[in-house]
Amino acid sequence: MMKIWENVKYGLPVKGVRIIDAHGHCGDYSEFYNPRKGSPETIVQLLDNMGVECCVLSPNVGFKNDHIRGNIMMAEAVKKFPGRIYGYICLNPIYMDDMVSEIQKYENNPGFLGIKYHISINKTPFTSPKYAPAFEYANEKGMVILMHTYGADALASLAPAADKYKNIKFIAAHSEVGIENVERIAEVVNSRDNFYVDTALAGASEGSIETLVKYVDTKKILYGTDIAFYSPNFTFGRIVMADIDDEVKLDILGRNAEKLFNI
Amino acid sequence: MKKIEFFDCEASFGLRGFKRENMPTTKEEMLSKFDRYGIDYALMRYEFANNGFIKDGDLELCDVIKDDERLFPMWYVMPHYTGEFPTPEELVALMKEKNVRACAIQGASWTVGEFSCGELFNALGKHKIPLLVPISRIPNGYSGLYEILKNHGDLRVILTGVGYTSLRDIYPLLSMFPNLYISTSTYKAYEGVEDTVERFGAERLIFGSGMPDLSGAASVALITYARISDEDKQKIASGNLKKLLSEVEF
Ligand SMILES: [Zn+2]
């Protein structure tokens, strides 16, 4: 592979490499000002700007207040940009009675690739029985679930669910938070076939991705940027310019997600 | 196609009590990362001045980087009342002697406020010496910053730590205070660079890597992939900082 990181210095799209962003958001978010309101149109423009093929998003309104409304918005974005924008079905254990029916609404839509929960908003620990109806259903269907985790403790608290529901492929987000605890993160991820992590993080420190790759099974690391929650540009640069093996980089940028999502 | 020239306003080096694995801390490690990411020049702060002995550390910094044409000193400053640190006039004289054209608020637990720093801010403002200020060091955050800028309209502040959630706070301040600049190291809102340039011009953003606490590659890509003109990218990447440093009046 040519030194693709040179493209970052010039702000050029990276061509000839399949890049899949496994963790993003769409739509506006009330907590802070988003200049482009996280619009699907700008998301696709930014993907083109970097040379990213597609991204998998969850609707911000879905976890902030109304998951049903969020999923409708997500379905519209997916329909508008097939093959560029995919969605996660947004669920909330607070409203556990409609979790399965929400999955059923979208599970046959090829634009949806999994389920997303946001624990820092719904404040329901992963060990809570409130998740059970959705986990059981997802386990039967072998679905992917992206979990917002922040730090090694949160990530490790997802392990019992991964052990119980072995057909669900769990992605623990923001795995570089507290990278100093990487050995603990590696222990959880490397010993479970159905446990993945992503790279989305606004404040990653210098050298962090190199450390993650050193300890964590590199087939389980997915490129994710939180696109449209904040800029995707900087995580893109951080991964593409990382001082890691080129084959590992290709796995992280797209090949691992390609296999996981079967796209 | 010409590579954008990068001049980093927010980098430091030197051993520290805690560091993460793979985090560069020596001057040589930092320079090798700069090469990898295409960072051409940097204002450097020195950990020995920040976490050790501020005056000794600042002076030592000038010595340690004197042969590096890409590196320029940025001194840590603090109030002088305890006698640990020069008075504002002595400081400016020393900066002139050593040709140090920028400084930064030191990271210890003293309070950044009018009562402690008013005289220092007056001196820095008078000589147009830019001051790097982390928003986390100002009591009451953006409200506290508003008070400082209201009292010291000529003080050139390069604010660090402005996060992607802070545009509602930073836009009013940018519109009120022309001498307020933002380091881009944490300025990561979704098209936040683009929106800020549209509203306030490219002149108000200054490239900062935040290395080694933050990723240098990330900070470079935030600018190179911004959807703004090449001319504006160049201003943010190095032009604005060069201009500020050239305008220092000793
Ligand atoms: Zn996210």
Side-chain angles (χ1 to χ4, degrees), chain A residues 8 12 180 202 206 214-215, chain B residues 20-21 37 188 216 224-225:
Chain A
V8 176
L12 296 170
E180 53 272 21
E206 179 60 44
K214 179 179 163 189
Y215 290 92
Chain B
R20 301 189 173 101
E21 190 171 345
Y37 305 144
K188 291 169 172 169
T224 58
Y225 286 106

Side-chain angles (χ1 to χ4, degrees), chain B residues 7 43 72-73 99-103 124 126-131 156 158 181 206 235 238-250:
Chain B
F7 192 160
L43 278 173
F72 301 87
N99 197 25
V100 177
R101 291 171 169 262
C103 55
L124 296 176
K126 183 175 158 205
H127 295 278
K128 300 187 177 165
I129 299 171
L131 176 67
R156 297 177 166 200
I158 304 175
Y181 301 85
I206 294 182
K235 280 185 189 169
S238 68
N240 296 338
L241 181 57
K242 281 182 174 172
K243 182 163 180 285
L244 278 186
L245 297 178
S246 74
E247 287 171 355
V248 172
E249 291 172 359
F250 284 128

Side-chain angles (χ1 to χ4, degrees), chain A residues 12 49 52 69 78 92 104 116 141 147 151 153 174 195-196 199 215 223 240 251:
Chain A
L12 296 170
N49 198 33
V52 178
R69 188 198 298 256
V78 158
N92 190 336
Q104 287 169 335
K116 166 95 188 245
K141 304 271 177 166
M147 286 292 195
D153 284 343
H174 314 300
F195 208 110
Y196 295 74
T199 62
Y215 290 92
Y223 171 68
V240 173
D251 283 345

Side-chain angles (χ1 to χ4, degrees), chain B:
Chain B
M1 189 173 186
K2 221 172 126 226
K3 190 190 91 63
I4 294 164
E5 178 190 81
F6 279 91
F7 192 160
D8 189 352
C9 78
E10 194 191 341
S12 73
F13 74 102
L15 301 189
R16 37 168 88 193
F18 170 75
K19 81 168 189 101
R20 301 189 173 101
E21 190 171 345
N22 286 315
M23 192 184 250
T25 48
T26 67
K27 185 181 78 175
E28 290 70 25
E29 287 168 343
M30 286 291 285
L31 281 167
S32 122
K33 291 287 189 177
F34 286 163
D35 288 340
R36 184 176 183 89
Y37 305 144
I39 298 172
D40 303 280
Y41 305 100
L43 278 173
M44 283 296 225
R45 287 164 290 134
Y46 193 40
E47 284 301 318
F48 184 55
N50 191 29
N51 293 315
F53 301 90
I54 182 165
K55 193 182 164 199
D56 297 343
D58 281 341
L59 291 170
E60 190 175 293
L61 167 66
C62 291
D63 222 37
V64 174
I65 63 171
K66 69 177 188 301
D67 297 325
D68 297 280
E69 284 169 5
R70 299 163 64 188
L71 307 181
F72 301 87
M74 176 181 252
W75 276 1
Y76 279 111
V77 295
M78 70 187 305
H80 65 279
Y81 301 98
T82 52
E84 301 163 272
F85 197 72
T87 64
E89 300 87 80
E90 288 166 348
L91 173 68
V92 171
L94 210 51
M95 291 180 86
K96 182 181 178 186
E97 185 192 322
K98 300 283 183 185
N99 197 25
V100 177
R101 291 171 169 262
C103 55
I105 291 287
Q106 189 238 5
S109 56
W110 53 274
T111 304
V112 178
E114 188 61 36
F115 71 97
S116 56
C117 300
E119 288 185 63
L120 177 62
F121 292 161
N122 282 339
L124 296 176
K126 183 175 158 205
H127 295 278
K128 300 187 177 165
I129 299 171
L131 176 67
L132 196 75
V133 183
I135 188 65
S136 62
R137 286 287 279 116
I138 304 175
N140 300 319
Y142 293 98
S143 299
L145 179 64
Y146 170 71
E147 296 300 329
I148 290 172
L149 296 173
K150 219 169 50 169
N151 289 332
H152 301 276
D154 56 356
L155 180 65
R156 297 177 166 200
V157 168
I158 304 175
L159 192 66
T160 67
V162 185
Y164 65 91
T165 61
S166 299
L167 304 188
R168 288 173 186 157
D169 289 330
I170 204 68
Y171 280 7
L173 294 170
L174 281 173
S175 67
M176 274 182 266
F177 301 109
N179 285 323
L180 174 63
Y181 301 85
I182 300 171
S183 168
T184 56
S185 67
T186 56
Y187 202 61
K188 291 169 172 169
Y190 186 66
E191 300 234 288
V193 168
E194 290 83 345
D195 195 57
T196 303
V197 168
E198 274 164 33
R199 290 166 186 259
F200 303 101
E203 292 73 18
R204 311 299 292 282
L205 298 176
I206 294 182
F207 171 72
S209 73
M211 280 172 72
D213 295 289
L214 294 169
S215 157
S219 63
V220 165
L222 183 73
I223 307 307
T224 58
Y225 286 106
R227 297 197 294 166
I228 54 177
S229 70
D230 286 347
E231 195 188 343
D232 283 345
K233 283 184 195 177
Q234 193 53 79
K235 280 185 189 169
I236 296 170
S238 68
N240 296 338
L241 181 57
K242 281 182 174 172
K243 182 163 180 285
L244 278 186
L245 297 178
S246 74
E247 287 171 355
V248 172
E249 291 172 359
F250 284 128

Side-chain angles (χ1 to χ4, degrees), chain A residues 176-187:
Chain A
E176 290 160 272
V177 173
I179 192 70
E180 53 272 21
N181 300 314
V182 68
E183 288 175 86
R184 185 146 169 250
I185 293 167
E187 205 180 284

